[in-house]
Amino acid sequence: AARFAPAIKVNGIAPALIQFNPDDDEAYRRKALAKSALGIEPGAEVIYQSLRYLLDISDAQLVGICQLADYSLSPEAVAALLKKDDEEGFQPCSDEVLAHFLAGLVLHKRGRDESRPPLPVEKRLTNNIILKKLRVAFELKEDDMHAILKAAGFPVSKPELSALFRKFGHTNYRTCGDQLLRNFLKGLTLRVRD
């Protein structure tokens, strides 16, 4: 893959970089980028593409889901997100778009609780936040999470899984790595699309 990059992009190499976590230092970031075939941090774009495939939704449905989170996304903006990165007019998915899409997805799947004020939408997404949003949206219990990861060939222990959902700064908090998130998306896709 490194030999052909960036002319040919492969989406099947794992583990691969998705995005850096806020606590990753500069030395780690340089090292990870040097190991990456493309030498970039793909970020929200990779998650967005995976979710579009997983959900198999139309452009209009995507716009509607974002509107549930009070976010306006024009049909032109959606078309730009769907272009390949070497096409004119391509626009990568930003954290802002993905955050609103995930917030809207929770409302789309579960409905709005009128008795509670809407939660603020995150400005910077981490893998932990993405994992948590997907868990809530798909109403996944602990056993479901284990089954999804096991189906993807990436089983984790109960303590490892619960640590991913702890509040940042908690003594048992664990950062969700890119490999775990990729495998979770793979397992969730197998569950939803089969």
Side-chain angles (χ1 to χ4, degrees):
R3 187 174 74 182
F4 296 109
I8 298 174
K9 295 183 178 118
V10 179
N11 197 12
I13 298 174
L17 177 64
I18 294 177
Q19 63 184 0
F20 293 115
N21 289 297
D23 56 341
D24 291 339
D25 64 24
E26 192 57 38
Y28 171 78
R29 290 172 189 245
R30 280 194 308 274
K31 183 179 175 183
L33 288 173
K35 288 186 346 185
S36 168
L38 296 176
I40 61 168
E41 175 189 12
E45 180 68 21
V46 173
I47 306 300
Y48 169 77
Q49 290 171 353
S50 296
L51 291 174
R52 280 295 301 256
Y53 176 77
L54 182 153
L55 296 166
D56 193 24
I57 57 174
S58 69
D59 294 356
Q61 288 172 309
L62 172 69
V63 169
I65 289 171
C66 287
Q67 285 174 342
L68 290 172
D70 299 323
Y71 189 75
S72 180
L73 196 60
S74 71
E76 295 80 23
V78 173
L81 291 171
L82 292 174
K83 291 181 183 275
K84 293 183 180 176
D85 61 0
D86 58 354
E87 290 181 285
E88 187 176 331
F90 165 74
Q91 183 64 44
C93 183
S94 65
D95 269 7
E96 180 182 16
V97 171
L98 184 60
H100 284 90
F101 177 63
L102 288 169
L105 184 62
V106 170
L107 298 173
H108 174 73
K109 292 284 200 180
R110 299 191 60 160
R112 188 180 301 271
D113 183 352
E114 299 298 338
S115 68
R116 302 176 79 186
L119 296 172
V121 176
E122 295 80 5
K123 295 196 184 310
R124 171 75 169 112
L125 292 173
T126 64
N127 291 350
N128 294 69
I129 292 171
I130 293 167
L131 191 66
K132 187 177 205 174
K133 293 280 186 188
L134 292 173
R135 181 181 188 177
V136 171
F138 288 93
E139 300 184 58
L140 301 171
K141 307 279 189 251
E142 185 177 342
D143 289 342
D144 298 320
M145 299 290 291
H146 283 289
I148 287 167
L149 288 165
K150 186 176 180 183
F154 198 84
V156 296
S157 69
K158 286 187 177 193
E160 286 175 308
L161 184 63
S162 68
L164 299 171
F165 298 102
R166 301 272 186 206
K167 188 173 182 176
F168 182 76
H170 187 280
T171 55
N172 293 328
Y173 172 85
R174 178 176 170 221
T175 300
C176 178
D178 292 338
Q179 189 175 12
L180 189 142
L181 184 58
R182 278 190 190 277
N183 280 288
F184 176 77
L185 288 167
K186 175 183 172 185
L188 186 60
T189 301
L190 292 171
R191 182 183 189 125
V192 170
R193 294 209 49 164
D194 281 351

